Amino acid sequence: MAYDSRFGPSAQTPQQRANVLRQLQLVYPKLHTRATAYAQQLYARYVAGELSWPDVRRALDDATGNA
């Protein structure tokens, strides 16, 4: 597997990204408790490696008008 610079060194695989997401949700509970269906889709795309975390945040900010 080639290193993907869009993700940190400990977020190179889907399993690692899922772990990063779980850790973020522990630190910021509203990422999980208030997650809309759209947010859940973005999270799944992050875990799959389709989006970087900054891409997810940008999409969420754009969707909520917090840009």
Side-chain angles (χ1 to χ4, degrees), residues 12-32:
Q12 290 294 304
T13 68
Q15 294 83 6
Q16 289 173 325
R17 287 188 290 276
N19 188 46
V20 168
L21 180 58
R22 277 191 298 276
Q23 291 174 357
L24 284 168
Q25 289 171 333
L26 287 173
V27 174
Y28 302 102
K30 75 177 184 177
L31 284 178
H32 179 65

Side-chain angles (χ1 to χ4, degrees), residues 23-46:
Q23 291 174 357
L24 284 168
Q25 289 171 333
L26 287 173
V27 174
Y28 302 102
K30 75 177 184 177
L31 284 178
H32 179 65
T33 58
R34 295 185 183 173
T36 63
Y38 178 63
Q40 292 292 343
Q41 289 175 340
L42 293 172
Y43 297 162
R45 290 182 66 196
Y46 166 72

